[in-house]
Amino acid sequence: MNTAASHIKTIAKRELSSYFTSPVAYVFLVIFLLLTGFFTFTAGQFFERGEASLAAFFGWHPWLYLVLVPAVGMRLWSEERRSGTLELLLTFPINAWEAILGKFLASWIFLALALALTFPVAITANWLGDPDNGQIVAGYAGSLMLAGAYLAITCMTSALTRNQVIAFILSVVACLFLILAGFNPVTDLLTRWASPAVVETIAAFSVVTHFDGFQKGVIDTRDLLYFASVIGFALFATSIILRNRRAG
Amino acid sequence: MADGPQNPMIRIENLVKAFGAKRAVDGVSFSVERGEVLGFLGPNGAGKSTTMRMITGFLPATDGRVSVGGFDVAESPLEAKRLIGYLPENAPSYPDMSVRGFLSFAAEMRGLDGGARKKAVGRVAELCFLASVLHQSIDTLSKGYRHRTCLAQALIHDPEVLILDEPTDGLDPNQKHEVRNLIRDMGKNKVVVFSTHILEEVDAACTRAIIIDRGRIVANGTPAELRAKSEIAGAMTLQIAGVPDAAARLAALPAARKVEPLGALLRVYPKDALAAAELARSVIELVNREGWKLESMRTEEGHLDEVFRRITLPDTAPAPSTSAVKR
């Protein structure tokens, strides 16, 4: 197990440093911060709300991540496949899941870093008013889980193709489904045809439903379990896809 | 574990790889002992890369078995992979890394730490002539350097078994020469399997060659044995001055099949491969008996490219798609 941990660490380290040796990381960080700023303060009317909370900030995350997380993760496996390094990676004496986990963790750490850089928003809220900091921490935790779920889905689609653009589009579509299943306008529409139980079941699959709890400051094990299972399932699917791809 | 005919380092039994309906590798069996350098020849799309990918555990076999150092690649992949150094086709590497970073990464993946890792990187950098570019980013390197960087990665853990897919592809003649020498040296106490379609490399580096065509082995032997399959093998080429009927006299020898005039030279072909020695004896006897003025004489060894063409060419039917084989 010790060797597994060191393999994961080695792969994650390489992956993470490859973000920073190219402009990708910096471009992403700048755009991410600009967009969060725009959505929070302008579109979200952070100041006009007159409440000391980060609802205006976190509320946008499912939508913001919809585009940004696939952009971070789309190259994870498709690039390895395109350049042929997949053959190197999978002929090292490691298990495929170690590589999958290592690469996933590297990108997740990168997204966590981007998220951490939004700390001025929390400081602003604290400076202007007296927000519930527990709620803010829960919001950050939820946002990180949300990013992880999207990222795992992007890993999966990235393993499907050598083409990063295709990987990007597939992940956006897949993540969009996860949003829409619990998005109010959609659930309202569904209630016209389906029984409330059905609508609720569909909504239970949505990231929005589970992310809401975190935003309210509640870290519910069911919500944690939901995100963990999305991540686990998508990474497991990645391993199946990689195995079958290798089979031709 | 003891090596030897009972326990060859690489043993391949009835290996099959099917991509849909196409069988890229179709019942290949061979084994390689320590101290052998096996050249893997064949036209493009013959199944060379696919076979190598199954040996290294990158592709699972549809049928058949591969064992490396006694470990079944399907059942104990990690143990088998530990023994193998692999240079994939087109020598992939991570372009955003420096040569040192990339080699360090490979060493770390092979479980080398600290001082051992540093030493391994230094050793392969010297072996593959990379010392001058260690700090350079791989994407700034020429193709030859990139190729050698990937080769260095395959050697980093001083593996028992080296699988090299077209190791001299894209190198200049000097680099080709160096890599061949490297392969020959490695082969002395390891097992090397390398694929190529450059036939001179077989002579330059191999102790044995396998020719594969459309997924099947069509020839397996030492370079000399393969050359003997050539039509020209064993033929005598002579230059005789002032004997107009020499061609007819030579053709009349019982061991001769035909005589072909080549400008001032005459080439006498043996009846069959077994008649080569008899032909040489009788030609020399004839020349001596008649007191012909012999200006030059040599025995042809046979050309590998002729053998290669003869046993792999007859493919006038529409070529099967090879795209399935090349990922």
Side-chain angles (χ1 to χ4, degrees):
Chain A
M1 274 305 98
N2 198 15
T3 57
S6 88
H7 290 153
I8 292 169
K9 198 184 103 199
T10 307
I11 290 170
K13 205 171 65 185
R14 197 210 70 73
E15 194 67 41
L16 198 57
S17 74
S18 89
Y19 277 114
F20 288 96
T21 47
S22 70
V24 175
Y26 306 99
V27 169
F28 176 83
L29 288 177
V30 169
I31 298 222
F32 176 75
L33 294 176
L34 281 177
L35 285 180
T36 44
F38 169 77
F39 279 115
T40 308
F41 294 105
T42 310
Q45 302 186 315
F46 181 75
F47 296 116
E48 290 84 343
R49 281 170 178 245
E51 48 179 283
S53 86
L54 292 193
F57 170 68
F58 289 122
W60 293 102
H61 282 193
W63 298 98
L64 198 59
Y65 287 164
L66 181 61
V67 180
L68 292 178
V69 173
V72 166
M74 65 184 183
R75 53 182 273 285
L76 278 178
W77 289 101
S78 54
E79 182 60 20
E80 298 264 358
R81 291 178 47 140
R82 194 193 57 74
S83 69
T85 44
L86 184 64
E87 206 166 335
L88 274 185
L89 194 60
L90 296 182
T91 52
F92 284 133
I94 59 165
N95 293 304
W97 66 265
E98 294 164 5
I100 292 168
L101 204 57
K103 286 169 85 74
F104 170 76
L105 285 178
S107 302
W108 205 14
I109 290 169
F110 177 69
L111 287 170
L113 176 74
L115 189 60
L117 288 177
T118 61
F119 69 92
V121 180
I123 290 177
T124 311
N126 270 294
W127 186 50
L128 291 176
D130 186 20
D132 177 354
N133 278 317
Q135 192 182 353
I136 291 179
V137 169
Y140 269 108
S143 180
L144 190 61
M145 292 308 284
L146 178 72
Y150 282 9
L151 186 64
I153 288 166
T154 310
C155 268
M156 180 177 75
T157 59
S158 174
L160 276 170
T161 169
R162 310 170 67 175
N163 187 318
Q164 295 193 21
V165 177
I166 294 176
F168 177 81
I169 292 169
L170 287 178
S171 0
V172 170
V173 170
C175 296
L176 188 61
F177 270 114
L178 286 188
I179 295 182
L180 291 183
F183 189 50
N184 281 338
V186 176
T187 47
D188 289 350
L189 204 65
L190 282 178
T191 44
R192 291 192 202 166
W193 295 294
S195 67
V198 173
V199 175
E200 226 167 276
T201 313
I202 293 174
F205 281 101
S206 169
V207 288
V208 177
T209 319
H210 295 278
F211 182 55
D212 274 348
F214 286 99
Q215 280 196 73
K216 289 179 189 125
V218 184
I219 300 183
D220 189 328
T221 32
R222 275 174 304 179
D223 295 335
L224 279 176
L225 206 62
Y226 165 80
F227 284 113
S229 1
V230 171
I231 293 171
F233 171 79
L235 293 184
F236 178 67
T238 307
S239 77
I240 304 267
I241 290 165
L242 282 178
R243 189 158 57 216
N244 287 326
R245 278 290 152 182
R246 280 155 67 196
Chain B
M1 115 175 17
D3 302 337
Q6 270 67 51
N7 287 312
M9 280 301 275
I10 301 178
R11 184 207 291 274
I12 292 174
E13 287 166 72
N14 209 11
L15 195 62
V16 174
K17 179 75 210 178
F19 294 107
K22 185 182 152 58
R23 287 163 95 88
V25 174
D26 194 0
V28 164
S29 302
F30 64 88
S31 49
V32 197
E33 314 279 342
R34 192 184 289 276
E36 274 195 294
V37 177
L38 178 72
F40 218 47
L41 303 170
N44 289 331
K48 299 183 299 260
S49 293
T50 309
T51 304
M52 295 184 134
R53 285 177 176 156
M54 286 190 278
I55 299 175
T56 55
F58 178 63
L59 282 179
T62 308
D63 199 8
R65 297 163 67 88
V66 179
S67 73
V68 175
F71 296 108
D72 188 293
V73 171
E75 281 159 19
S76 356
L78 297 189
E79 287 81 356
K81 284 174 180 176
R82 243 173 239 133
L83 296 173
I84 300 176
Y86 178 39
L87 170 72
E89 195 181 16
N90 302 325
S93 55
Y94 295 106
D96 53 303
M97 298 180 95
S98 71
V99 173
R100 182 195 291 281
F102 178 67
L103 295 178
S104 256
F105 168 70
E108 215 173 323
M109 295 302 289
R110 297 284 183 182
L112 297 169
D113 303 305
R117 189 191 310 160
K118 234 177 176 168
K119 235 164 94 183
V121 171
R123 185 180 61 84
V124 295
E126 198 173 326
L127 218 51
C128 300
F129 310 97
L130 293 168
S132 61
V133 295
L134 264 183
H135 297 282
Q136 240 167 289
S137 160
I138 291 174
D139 56 7
T140 65
L141 297 178
S142 68
K143 192 173 175 194
Y145 274 113
R146 254 181 279 169
H147 209 93
R148 278 181 285 159
T149 303
C150 194
L151 178 63
Q153 161 282 130
L155 302 173
I156 195 96
H157 55 303
D158 198 17
E160 295 289 305
V161 176
L162 265 177
I163 310 285
L164 311 172
D165 202 347
E166 302 198 352
T168 58
D169 180 49
L171 301 183
D172 70 31
N174 291 332
Q175 295 166 338
K176 279 194 167 104
H177 180 74
E178 297 293 352
V179 169
R180 278 177 213 151
N181 284 347
L182 194 70
I183 291 174
R184 217 174 24 221
D185 288 346
M186 293 284 165
K188 283 176 190 150
N189 44 25
K190 298 179 190 303
V191 175
V192 184
V193 177
F194 78 98
S195 72
T196 181
H197 43 240
I198 305 172
L199 291 156
E200 57 189 278
E201 275 173 6
V202 176
D203 275 321
C206 294
T207 58
R208 191 151 63 94
I210 283 179
I211 302 182
I212 180 169
D213 186 32
R214 277 167 280 173
R216 289 171 174 278
I217 292 181
V218 290
N220 181 354
T222 64
E225 283 167 2
L226 291 183
R227 268 201 308 270
K229 289 180 194 271
S230 163
E231 196 199 7
I232 199 178
M236 310 277 297
T237 307
L238 309 104
Q239 189 172 3
I240 299 161
V243 185
D245 65 342
R249 300 284 301 274
L250 286 166
L253 290 170
R257 184 162 55 83
K258 65 169 183 178
V259 176
E260 186 183 36
L262 298 163
L265 302 170
L266 289 173
R267 182 169 288 164
V268 190
Y269 289 91
K271 209 169 52 202
D272 51 55
L274 298 170
E278 193 195 332
L279 178 72
R281 262 198 314 278
S282 58
V283 167
I284 292 165
E285 214 178 83
L286 179 68
V287 168
N288 285 341
R289 200 170 58 228
E290 301 293 325
W292 288 347
K293 209 169 140 212
L294 195 59
E295 293 182 341
S296 76
M297 177 171 79
R298 66 168 188 269
T299 304
E300 302 293 341
E301 286 196 302
H303 297 312
L304 276 174
D305 56 349
E306 188 212 317
V307 178
F308 184 82
R309 266 204 310 278
R310 220 182 46 230
I311 58 185
T312 62
L313 192 66
D315 190 19
T316 42
S321 162
T322 56
S323 58
V325 185
K326 304 279 172 200
R327 259 183 306 134

